[in-house]
Amino acid sequence: MYFSFSSTSFFTIIFLVSANAITNPTRKPQNQLSVNFYAKSCPHVDQLVASVTSQQFKEAPISGPATIRLFFHDCFVEGCDASVLISTKAGSKELAEKDAEDNKEVAMEAFDSINKAKALVETKCPGVVSCADILAIAARDFVHLAGGPYYQVKKGRWDGKISMASRVQSNLPRANSTLDELLRLFKSKGLSLEDLVILSGAHTIGFAHCRHFVTRLYDYKGTKQPDPSIDPRLLKALKMSCPHYGGNTDIVAPFDVTTPFSFDNAYYGNLEAKMGLLATDQALFLDPRTKPLVQAMAKDKQKFFQAFVVAMDKMGSIGVKRGRRHGEKRKDCRIHMG
């Protein structure tokens, strides 16, 4: 399903739907990863993954933003090592990352995409390609399928052996984080202020549940008033579907209220127009440190695409595991080898 909205049609701009879910280690040198890592051992890995992601995107478009989000959540916790894909062992007291509150809202279609791609790759190149690399490739595919740039993915990651739900919350951005808190978090991952603004542009597609922005609508920072930085027409539309109390917890709204299914630079134009969904989104335009970059990205889609490719490559090398001492090559992304 695809929708397009003009930036002026404020009452068709918001469509809120019921859905189940739509939603650290020091970086090692990037030269440990290479585009041609599987050139001999699994030369067609990109095409194999693409055959799955393209089908998933047709059958369940939500797979796109959900898988991109899954990649972010993976890299920010324990590094890009597919630890977010591991299922909690039966009877275990310690939940795996996948079962942390922050990951429960990631649509199951994202996990399905990776598991299907992994199963196909295993039939052609058994025991060769890591789940972590497949997740990185799939995220790229979905960026491109939604209209974003196509770029070469560096490979060579191993799958991590540690997956603990207790490590998730402190390593992911919160919907009410201040810009200073976000900058500290990103810096701890080896990412810059520019990376924060550019990677936030992934919110050009995808959705957030009401609970992540409801306080902006009714009680911003304890004032009992809405956030003054929300466009009043957007505020009215959001309130219609997100009551202050007792609303449907499955209701979601698009991050990008103008072109929610297209990977473009409209997200930044929305911030200029006071139409950012989350406080953390709108803060990027309100803060003088990040505002000029938001304005530059809003003006030039190609510049955003080029910057996004660089930032994804940088994020994709956070905490990369190499070798059997630190990692494994899982045959089933959900289950540890050991």
Side-chain angles (χ1 to χ4, degrees), residues 71-254:
F71 185 46
F72 278 59
H73 284 210
D74 183 45
C75 290
F76 268 64
V77 184
E78 307 293 348
C80 308
D81 65 353
S83 53
V84 73
L85 302 175
I86 295 170
S87 297
T88 302
K89 279 185 183 174
S92 173
K93 290 180 181 175
E94 174 69 52
L95 294 176
E97 282 175 43
K98 184 179 180 179
D99 293 318
E101 281 300 316
D102 292 87
N103 289 323
K104 283 183 180 174
E105 288 183 356
V106 178
M108 285 310 297
E109 285 84 352
F111 296 94
D112 292 343
S113 298
I114 307 307
N115 291 329
K116 286 178 185 175
K118 174 63 172 175
L120 179 61
V121 171
E122 282 297 305
T123 65
K124 306 293 185 185
C125 319
V128 172
V129 183
S130 67
C131 298
D133 280 341
I134 288 174
L135 178 53
I137 294 166
R140 181 274 314 278
D141 286 355
F142 283 122
V143 166
H144 185 59
L145 287 163
Y150 186 88
Y151 53 94
Q152 295 295 327
V153 173
K154 290 177 184 167
K155 309 167 190 80
R157 302 165 188 82
W158 284 57
D159 299 327
K161 299 177 179 179
I162 297 169
S163 183
M164 297 166 66
S166 57
R167 297 192 183 184
V168 172
Q169 186 174 10
S170 61
N171 282 294
L172 291 179
R174 316 242 58 80
N176 60 353
S177 293
T178 65
L179 188 64
D180 284 330
E181 288 168 342
L182 291 175
L183 288 170
R184 276 196 297 274
L185 176 61
F186 272 63
K187 188 177 179 183
S188 74
K189 310 297 174 189
L191 300 173
S192 66
L193 176 146
E194 289 77 16
D195 296 323
L196 166 61
V197 177
I198 301 304
L199 291 171
S200 295
H203 281 177
T204 181
I205 55 174
F207 302 80
H209 287 73
C210 287
R211 68 183 183 87
H212 294 297
F213 56 86
V214 71
T215 55
R216 291 189 75 205
L217 310 182
Y218 300 97
D219 187 18
Y220 182 63
K221 292 186 175 177
T223 60
K224 303 280 194 287
Q225 296 295 318
D227 182 345
S229 69
I230 302 182
D231 179 282
R233 290 160 293 184
L234 175 60
L235 175 66
K236 184 176 180 181
L238 288 171
K239 278 185 165 182
M240 287 170 69
S241 291
C242 293
H244 196 181
Y245 302 108
N248 183 338
T249 57
D250 287 341
I251 297 293
V252 295

